[in-house]
Amino acid sequence: MSEHLQHEILSLLKENSRLETEKIAHMLGESKEKVEQIIQELEKTGIIVKYGAVINWQKSEKPKVSALIDVKVAPQRGYGFDALARRIYRFPEVRSVYLMSGAYDLSVELEVDSMEAVGRFVTEKLATLDSVMGTTTHFVMKKYKEDGVILDDPEKDERLVITP
């Protein structure tokens, strides 16, 4: 399988996961069957893990609260940060967990229904874990761009145009 073709298919699906294989094949000048075969192989090997949508929760009737939590950890002998990261990412409200460089070791992204739910998560679930030494919580006030998609609605200029 051509690495270049595989990369092109991945790039197209990353941009728009709803593209049909026929359209991808046409865009790349390949057969539909070949593209389907490559996509199936990418799914089977775990390179393609999930297809999804970018949602602007700020425009929905029931917006979500997003928070980023920096976590300072005492690494466990023989496991490093991996064991704790696995425990954290199993909580359903956790969207992402990253190992970070800098002052904090892990960064946890939450998406919940309220600010209170963030507080409960930190105090009842995260802070109670043995290896957690400290946390800093950042609430996302507004998302301007997510996953390459601009969510910000620029304000319309309501001034009158005056011409000489």
Side-chain angles (χ1 to χ4, degrees), residues 6-152:
Q6 185 182 45
H7 180 74
E8 291 295 318
I9 291 170
L10 289 170
S11 296
L12 288 170
L13 288 173
K14 175 72 176 157
E15 187 65 32
N16 181 0
S17 64
R18 294 184 68 181
L19 277 177
E20 296 177 7
T21 53
E22 191 173 312
K23 178 84 170 170
I24 294 170
H26 177 74
M27 293 168 79
L28 299 176
E30 298 289 340
S31 71
K32 179 182 174 187
E33 293 76 21
K34 185 172 186 175
V35 170
E36 286 174 344
Q37 175 194 2
I38 292 171
I39 291 173
Q40 287 173 0
E41 185 65 27
L42 291 168
E43 291 170 344
K44 186 174 134 187
T45 58
I47 294 173
I48 295 177
V49 180
K50 178 182 175 183
Y51 297 93
V54 176
I55 299 170
N56 188 347
W57 286 108
Q58 297 169 115
K59 290 186 174 184
S60 76
E61 290 182 23
K62 190 172 181 187
K64 298 276 188 180
V65 174
S66 296
L68 303 171
I69 304 167
D70 297 327
V71 184
K72 186 71 176 157
V73 174
Q76 297 175 323
R77 184 177 300 272
Y79 295 100
F81 301 102
D82 295 345
L84 182 62
R86 285 186 194 103
R87 288 185 70 187
I88 293 170
Y89 69 55
R90 286 191 176 101
F91 292 116
E93 56 269 72
V94 172
R95 301 287 302 146
S96 304
V97 178
Y98 305 102
L99 178 62
M100 305 296 290
S101 64
Y104 289 89
D105 303 305
L106 298 175
S107 184
V108 178
E109 180 184 2
L110 292 187
E111 191 172 85
V112 293
D113 293 328
S114 68
M115 292 176 78
E116 293 80 13
V118 174
R120 281 192 306 277
F121 175 82
V122 172
T123 58
E124 297 172 9
K125 295 180 179 178
L126 192 58
T128 61
L129 298 173
D130 289 337
S131 299
V132 172
M133 297 172 54
T135 64
T136 301
T137 302
H138 309 276
F139 287 96
V140 176
M141 305 302 287
K142 180 178 181 180
K143 291 183 181 182
Y144 294 96
K145 186 175 184 178
E146 183 173 10
D147 200 22
V149 178
I150 296 172
L151 303 175
D152 187 33

